[in-house]
Amino acid sequence: MPAVVETIAGLRSQLRIAAAEAATASSPQPLVALVPTMGALHDGHLALVQRAQESAAIVVVSIFINPLQFGSSEDLDRYPRTVDTDVECLRAAGVQFVFAPTIADMYPTGPTQTRVVAGDIGAVLEGNSRPGHFDGMLTVVSKLLNIVTPDIVVFGEKDAQQAFLVKRMVADLDIDVVVETVPTIREDDGLALSSRNRFLDGNQRTAATALPRALEAAASSAGAGTDAALSAARSVLEAEPAVELDYLAIVDPETFLAVDAEHRGPALVLVAARVGTTRLIDNHAIHLG
Ligand code: PAF
């Protein structure tokens, strides 16, 4: 069984003991990897865990549904809470530590007075649709990095803007950690795995495949440029009435700024849409010709 630790002090002391036990003459300071999650684990999370295990001797998976990153009209209450199943799944994967703090452990005096501000890129795309989301996300990620002090932290490429902003925070604030990213895991029909997919009924689940199909259409038309890629993706989404588009954009992966019609080379096409009451996001690397 992994050690399920709820308190910050408890985790710090157990990690010190584990590091001393795992130390060898050739590796006196065994590497520690952190996989931050909000639980409701699926194979996408397990791919992050596997990367962490390949990279480090000690793996910590945090499970914490961070209220700071949910807006007042968002799905905090409905976010799936499946800690027992999650712990069982992490046990089967051979994870040593699950850090599952309570809200009172993480925010003993209420929401933090001090926040990490995500800046301009934190205010576009997801940040435009979910004001404050990225400040809350970066604030909890920086707390988790301070608590665990990992050598490596692993994020999924499905949340591309999140991974971009974490890398920026780590660079901007000189945090001593390597940020690794892992490709999105998909169902056979292309739908990206997400903890929110469980809310889709049968028809919505079918409609949701319009997102990966739109991204594939953009990739296929990318040789003809930005406008062609966007319009190919938009046609797929518009053909699916159950999909309510939030945004569709193509950005430069180096800056996360929208590319213009003349842009050539690597780019990232991103989509967010609501299917019923469930909000889904996805993205795909493309090459604009
Ligand atoms: O991607 C998530 O699940 C969350 O945003 C994270 C990184 C665990 C921070 O709460």
Side-chain angles (χ1 to χ4, degrees), residues 176-227:
D176 192 11
V177 69
V178 173
V179 182
E180 293 194 7
T181 59
V182 173
T184 303
I185 305 291
R186 298 180 178 280
E187 302 281 7
D188 289 345
D189 60 8
L191 185 68
L193 297 196
S194 163
S195 304
R196 292 182 169 98
N197 289 352
R198 69 192 69 202
F199 298 130
L200 301 169
D201 68 23
N203 291 337
Q204 292 167 343
R205 172 67 187 74
T206 306
T209 63
L211 275 74
R213 286 189 284 111
L215 298 178
E216 285 294 343
S220 305
S221 304
T226 308
D227 292 345

Side-chain angles (χ1 to χ4, degrees), residues 36-38 66 69 137 140-141 155 159 162:
T37 82
M38 299 203 298
N66 173 36
Q69 69 187 72
M137 180 279 293
V140 84
V141 169
F155 286 87
D159 295 300
Q162 166 170 283

Side-chain angles (χ1 to χ4, degrees), residues 30-191:
L31 295 182
V32 176
L34 168 66
V35 181
T37 82
M38 299 203 298
L41 302 182
H42 50 65
D43 285 352
H45 295 108
L46 293 181
L48 308 186
V49 168
Q50 192 180 336
R51 170 67 69 84
Q53 289 171 323
E54 286 159 7
S55 306
I58 299 172
V59 171
V60 180
V61 176
S62 63
I63 298 179
F64 180 63
I65 302 176
N66 173 36
L68 277 196
Q69 69 187 72
F70 288 80
S72 52
S73 61
E74 291 187 25
D75 58 353
L76 174 62
D77 291 341
R78 142 171 138 129
Y79 201 87
R81 287 157 171 83
T82 58
V83 177
D84 292 345
T85 329
D86 293 342
V87 170
E88 173 50 31
C89 169
L90 295 170
R91 183 200 61 74
V95 166
Q96 295 106 314
F97 291 103
V98 176
F99 179 47
T102 62
I103 291 178
D105 286 315
M106 290 295 274
Y107 301 120
T109 54
T112 56
Q113 175 133 350
T114 309
R115 300 273 169 108
V116 179
V117 177
D120 292 348
I121 301 302
V124 298
L125 303 167
E126 279 303 282
N128 182 47
S129 302
R130 305 182 64 189
H133 166 68
F134 285 126
D135 293 359
M137 180 279 293
L138 289 180
T139 300
V140 84
V141 169
S142 63
K143 281 172 71 75
L144 291 167
L145 292 174
N146 284 329
I147 293 165
V148 178
T149 61
D151 302 282
I152 297 141
V153 63
V154 189
F155 286 87
E157 289 173 8
K158 183 169 97 51
D159 295 300
Q161 195 175 1
Q162 166 170 283
F164 176 90
L165 289 168
V166 169
K167 285 182 183 163
R168 275 303 297 264
M169 174 181 77
V170 163
D172 286 347
L173 302 183
D174 300 304
I175 302 175
D176 192 11
V177 69
V178 173
V179 182
E180 293 194 7
T181 59
V182 173
T184 303
I185 305 291
R186 298 180 178 280
E187 302 281 7
D188 289 345
D189 60 8
L191 185 68

